Amino acid sequence: MQYKTDRRVQSENVILDIRNLSLDYIMPGQNIHAVVDLNLVARMGKITALIGESGSGKSTVALAIMGIQNRNAVISSGEIYLAGTDILSMPKKDLRSYISNHAGIIFQDPVDSLNPLLTVGEQLMETILMHEKITKKQACAIAFNQLLAVSLPQPEELMKKYPFMLSGGMCQRVTIAIASVFHPLLLIADEPTTALDVTVQAQILHQLDLMRKRDGTAILLITHDLGVVAEIADYVYIMKDGHIVESGTVDDIFCDPQHIHTRQLLAGML
Ligand SMILES: Nc1ncnc2c1ncn2[C@@H]1O[C@H](COP(=O)(O)OP(=O)(O)OP(=O)(O)O)[C@@H](O)[C@H]1O
Ligand SMILES: [Mg+2]
């Protein structure tokens, strides 16, 4: 089976290239056009921010990239090139492993993202052993290193703990550890700090920035926090009612916004 690929995409350090994506939610009596003809690119070693008011379609885009769709979601057109291959042209049987080998996602509420019934070690080991045919001992060594890499000390102790025994910030680091265990080319962070207090927010963002610098990970950061965007993002996309209304470098967007909606967002009117 030959998938749709695009070499140009790979040569320009483009990890993610979404072209003309449209997605509807089918509801009784009405269809919600959650994503309309959307184009978006994320590059290696760069932070790309996706911002927009609540309900504009940001999480829908994130889930579509991860191949996770609600039952009532229908993609009516478009392509999602992840590492040069259009995932929408892939058969379902190959999709899961392809996506999980190339992309990871972390969500707003770290406590909800983790399984409350499994220890940190069990969750991390489960992910590692799902991907690699290695011994438990080897997987354990990877898990230790991974926890240290997200600045969680004493990994032996931590592996035995359940999520409820950890702070919100520690839980979010664990979700980053799980999402990044195979050094994904793309990490999607959907409002990763909204549920955390300000100091912890800064630490988590620092962690993402570190991954970008150290591993060259492309980060797609979904956030409401324009201060964060101004500080760490390289490129910005502004979304409204399923459409990208404006995009550009951080300087373009903050110094010379063109679209009225962007100006309103920046002025804090939305
Ligand atoms: N499963 C679903 N069925 C029907 N409509 C949905 C479904 N999921 C999301 N929607 C609708 O799709 C639109 C986009 O939702 P989405 O969650 O992507 O927005 P968002 O930009 O992530 O918002 P927020 O900032 O609040 O997280 C909204 O109108 C939402 O109500
Ligand atoms: Mg959302």
Side-chain angles (χ1 to χ4, degrees):
M1 173 83 192
Q2 200 60 38
Y3 310 131
K4 214 193 283 181
T5 58
D6 190 330
R7 275 174 201 279
R8 186 176 55 87
V9 171
Q10 291 159 311
S11 67
E12 290 171 0
N13 282 344
V14 172
I15 300 299
L16 173 73
D17 187 347
I18 305 180
R19 295 185 193 163
N20 309 106
L21 182 71
S22 293
L23 184 152
D24 295 343
Y25 288 114
I26 311 298
M27 303 284 284
Q30 65 161 144
N31 291 352
I32 295 170
H33 305 303
V35 179
V36 185
D37 204 21
L38 178 135
N39 290 284
L40 181 148
V41 164
R43 291 188 163 80
M44 210 174 145
K46 302 285 180 197
I47 297 185
T48 302
L50 178 59
I51 59 181
E53 57 193 321
S54 185
S56 54
K58 306 180 297 295
S59 295
T60 302
V61 173
L63 295 176
I65 300 164
M66 295 306 293
I68 311 166
Q69 273 136 43
N70 279 296
R71 279 162 183 266
N72 62 335
V74 174
I75 292 179
S76 56
S77 69
E79 287 139 32
I80 301 178
Y81 287 95
L82 179 63
T85 299
D86 176 21
I87 57 169
L88 300 182
S89 74
M90 281 189 148
K92 265 210 170 115
K93 66 175 175 58
D94 301 340
L95 193 64
R96 278 259 61 83
S97 72
Y98 184 84
I99 292 175
S100 62
N101 282 330
H102 291 88
I105 188 165
I106 58 171
F107 296 101
Q108 179 170 344
D109 194 332
V111 182
D112 278 358
S113 309
L114 295 170
N115 185 335
L117 304 175
L118 297 179
T119 63
V120 168
E122 284 165 341
Q123 304 192 46
L124 204 41
M125 296 281 283
E126 189 178 83
T127 309
I128 296 168
L129 290 169
M130 212 157 59
H131 280 76
E132 301 265 299
K133 285 193 173 52
I134 52 176
T135 64
K136 276 201 170 168
K137 200 172 165 197
Q138 289 168 318
C140 205
I142 295 177
F144 275 24
N145 281 337
Q146 191 61 10
L147 291 172
L148 289 171
V150 294
S151 312
L152 285 168
Q154 296 173 318
E156 301 97 296
E157 293 305 308
L158 190 62
M159 295 273 282
K160 294 178 204 144
K161 293 193 168 153
Y162 289 89
F164 77 88
M165 300 162 100
L166 310 178
S167 68
M170 287 173 92
C171 282
Q172 194 61 299
R173 283 175 198 276
V174 172
T175 65
I176 295 174
I178 293 173
S180 61
V181 66
F182 290 110
H183 306 289
L185 295 169
L186 173 71
L187 183 75
I188 304 172
D190 190 352
E191 311 216 21
T193 58
T194 315
L196 305 172
D197 71 50
V198 178
T199 351
V200 183
Q201 279 184 16
Q203 292 165 1
I204 295 297
L205 292 168
H206 174 71
Q207 198 64 55
L208 296 178
D209 205 35
L210 199 69
M211 280 181 64
R212 172 185 75 76
K213 287 197 196 115
R214 188 185 55 204
D215 305 332
T217 315
I219 295 179
L220 179 62
L221 177 66
I222 297 174
T223 180
H224 280 116
D225 192 331
L226 294 171
V228 165
V229 174
E231 203 177 317
I232 69 166
D234 297 290
Y235 303 103
V236 185
Y237 287 80
I238 315 280
M239 199 165 178
K240 177 179 166 48
D241 298 335
H243 298 261
I244 297 294
V245 293
E246 188 165 357
S247 65
T249 64
V250 171
D251 286 348
D252 290 341
I253 299 294
F254 281 82
C255 303
D256 188 22
Q258 299 294 312
H259 196 281
I260 177 84
H261 184 71
T262 312
R263 291 193 198 133
Q264 288 170 338
L265 264 183
L266 295 182
M269 289 161 62
L270 296 172

